């Protein structure tokens, strides 16, 4: 759980645009670029041939980089993402590229966004220059049921999103579109859902003030409590594709060291089954009788830097940790936290004892 303190400074935000093959990423990307201010966005794509931007190109800078008609930069990733980001940064500093204000990474249709976030968080060099900003996933309203049942990448893309864009709603029946919206809300109750059918004007994600730490819609949902499905069903029951969502609620302020140690062990052992973690927790701290509000965000084996908020965004001061998992049982996670917390509470009362080994998470 290293890197749990964050110094944003002037780091450039990096957004991820993902979605399964044929979902409509290119159409949405083209609209975003046409509507964005001149030269403010650098776009990273895997191959130029995969994105229909040829009609926007006005001049090739080198083998991998072109300028779009609005002055924005579009680059192909021929090797590692780190190398591509580093080249962008260096050429921006030298004045060879416009002074773009953000980077937008479009993944291939068969990729999960986790490795992109892992690169940004895990690399010491990149952490000083870039920061994760948002994950936007495009979902095909017509073909999503088939993709969900057969492609695990689809689930990873949906579960990781801050915002879901439901495309091709003009081709689907109203019943199909509504059913898909309901399914997406079950799989990822933390994400807002935007309809982007033919002719719909969809503002760029960065204009919607997406933030992995301060996004108000997921904070509001976390504060409201465990989401519930139809007929009073608890969220996570009856979900398809092996995913479930549940909320761990804590009534008292938590010890920061205990919480981070537990999360470290949980992610180390079960990161492959943890699709998404978002939370607002009350951290025990001087001057905060009800705990300092702290936003957490993670996926897989990685945790973003926490955001210690200056004030609570609502009246409810309880901690909420919302999990989206595949094959990680809710009751085992709850039992693991209770066991871990009880262990350290008991130990803190025994001042003269030597610190024993931490309880394991083998049952989680």
């Amino acid at each position: 759980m290293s890197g749990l303190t964050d110094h944003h400074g002037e780091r450039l935000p990096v957004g991820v645009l993902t979605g399964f093959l044929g979902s409509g990423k290119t159409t949405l990307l083209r609209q975003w670029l046409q509507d964005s201010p001149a030269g403010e966005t650098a776009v990273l794509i895997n191959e130029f041939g995969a994105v229909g931007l040829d009609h926007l190109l006005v001049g090739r800078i080198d083998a991998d980089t072109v300028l779009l008609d609005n002055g924005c930069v579009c680059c192909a990733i021929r090797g590692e993402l780190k190398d591509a980001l580093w080249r962008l940064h260096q050429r921006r500093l030298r004045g060879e590229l416009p002074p773009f204000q953000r980077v937008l990474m479009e993944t291939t249709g068969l990729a999960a966004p986790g490795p992109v976030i892992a690169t940004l968080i895990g690399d010491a060099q990149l952490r000083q220059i870039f920061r994760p900003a948002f994950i936007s996933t495009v979902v095909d309203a017509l073909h999503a049921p088939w993709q969900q049942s057969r492609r695990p990448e689809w689930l990873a893309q949906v579960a990781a999103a801050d915002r879901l864009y439901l495309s091709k709603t003009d081709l689907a029946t109203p019943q199909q579109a509504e059913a898909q919206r309901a399914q997406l809300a079950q799989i990822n109750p933390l994400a807002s859902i935007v309809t982007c059918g033919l002719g719909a004007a969809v503002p760029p994600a960065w204009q919607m003030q997406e933030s992995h730490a301060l996004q108000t819609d997921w904070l509001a949902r976390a504060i409201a409590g465990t989401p519930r499905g139809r007929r009073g069903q608890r969220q996570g029951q009856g979900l398809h594709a092996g995913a479930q969502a549940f909320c761990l609620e804590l009534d008292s302020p938590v010890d920061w060291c205990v919480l981070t140690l537990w999360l470290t062990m949980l992610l180390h052992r079960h990161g492959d089954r943890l699709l998404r973690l978002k939370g607002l927790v009350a951290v025990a701290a001087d001057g905060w009788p009800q705990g300092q509000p702290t936003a957490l965000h993670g996926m897989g084996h990685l945790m973003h830097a926490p955001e210690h908020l200056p004030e609570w965004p609502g009246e409810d001061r309880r901690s909420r940790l919302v999990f989206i998992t595949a094959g990680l049982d809710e009751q085992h996670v709850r039992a693991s936290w209770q066991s871990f917390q009880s262990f350290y509470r008991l130990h803190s009362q025994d001042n003269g004892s030597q610190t024993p080994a931490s309880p394991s998470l083998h049952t989680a």
Side-chain angles (χ1 to χ4, degrees):
M1 192 78 83
S2 59
L4 277 178
T5 58
D6 189 20
H7 304 283
H8 284 271
E10 297 300 322
R11 293 186 298 161
L12 291 172
V14 179
V16 178
L17 177 62
T18 188
F20 201 74
L21 295 170
S23 61
K25 295 189 301 296
T26 299
T27 301
L28 187 60
L29 173 61
R30 184 184 299 122
Q31 180 183 331
W32 284 359
L33 292 176
Q34 288 173 336
D35 294 340
S36 67
E40 282 196 358
T41 305
V43 182
L44 285 175
I45 59 175
N46 287 332
E47 294 290 345
F48 279 118
V51 177
L53 293 175
D54 291 345
H55 65 292
L56 297 175
L57 307 184
V58 297
R60 187 173 296 277
I61 298 174
D62 59 22
D64 293 336
T65 307
V66 297
L67 282 177
L68 305 182
D69 62 355
N70 66 347
C72 290
V73 181
C74 189
C75 297
I77 300 177
R78 306 297 185 187
E80 295 294 330
L81 174 59
K82 174 184 176 179
D83 296 336
L85 287 169
W86 183 252
R87 286 197 304 270
L88 273 179
H89 171 64
Q90 292 299 309
R91 298 181 66 184
R92 179 179 183 268
L93 289 180
R94 294 195 297 264
E96 298 174 5
L97 297 178
F100 53 86
Q101 301 302 305
R102 70 187 64 84
V103 177
L104 179 62
M105 168 66 187
E106 184 196 8
T107 70
T108 66
L110 297 176
V116 177
I117 304 300
T119 299
L120 292 172
I121 298 175
D123 188 272
Q125 248 183 343
L126 293 182
R127 280 202 307 267
Q128 306 304 314
I129 306 165
F130 302 100
R131 61 179 176 84
F134 60 84
I135 299 175
S136 297
T137 299
V138 184
V139 178
D140 184 333
L142 282 176
H143 302 103
W146 181 89
Q147 294 164 354
Q148 178 181 348
S149 65
R150 304 198 178 195
R151 303 300 309 197
E153 311 95 294
W154 184 94
L155 177 61
Q157 293 166 357
V158 169
D162 297 302
R163 190 176 296 271
L164 294 162
Y165 293 87
L166 188 60
S167 67
K168 304 183 184 179
T169 53
D170 53 305
L171 303 177
T173 66
Q175 294 77 15
Q176 285 177 312
E178 180 58 32
Q180 193 55 56
R181 290 179 68 93
Q183 184 65 63
L184 294 176
Q186 278 195 318
I187 293 174
N188 188 348
L190 304 172
S192 55
I193 303 175
V194 177
T195 298
C196 54
L198 183 64
V202 181
W206 53 86
Q207 291 184 5
M208 297 181 182
Q209 299 180 342
E210 296 282 11
S211 168
H212 65 78
L214 295 177
Q215 187 182 333
T216 56
D217 56 357
W218 74 257
L219 283 177
R221 295 182 190 197
I223 292 170
T226 306
R228 294 182 178 272
R230 295 178 180 178
R231 299 179 182 177
Q233 204 176 41
R234 288 195 69 178
Q235 184 65 37
Q237 294 179 345
L239 292 184
H240 302 290
Q244 65 169 332
F246 56 89
C247 181
L248 182 62
E249 303 171 358
L250 312 174
D251 292 328
S252 303
V254 299
D255 185 295
W256 181 242
C257 293
V258 174
L259 177 64
T260 54
L261 182 56
W262 176 69
L263 285 175
T264 299
M265 296 177 66
L266 183 70
L267 269 63
H268 176 73
R269 182 169 179 79
H270 300 294
D272 292 339
R273 297 189 283 172
L274 182 59
L275 302 176
R276 196 67 185 271
L277 166 65
K278 279 192 173 183
L280 179 66
V281 297
V283 175
D286 293 339
W288 294 88
Q290 295 178 299
Q292 182 179 11
T294 302
L296 298 178
H297 169 93
M299 59 190 300
H301 293 275
L302 295 166
M303 287 294 295
H304 289 255
E307 185 83 18
H308 299 290
L309 308 184
E311 60 183 9
W312 281 91
E315 296 300 321
D316 197 327
R317 302 296 192 262
R318 291 177 297 171
S319 298
R320 312 289 172 128
L321 286 172
V322 183
F323 295 82
I324 302 177
T325 66
L328 185 57
D329 184 74
E330 173 183 358
Q331 296 307 317
H332 287 166
V333 173
R334 292 182 181 278
S336 169
W337 166 251
Q338 292 169 1
S339 174
F340 202 87
Q341 190 180 39
S342 297
F343 172 85
Y344 277 95
R345 185 182 296 116
L346 179 64
H347 174 67
S348 65
Q349 296 172 356
D350 187 3
N351 296 325
S353 67
Q354 184 179 1
T355 304
S358 302
S360 72
L361 294 179
H362 285 209
T363 59

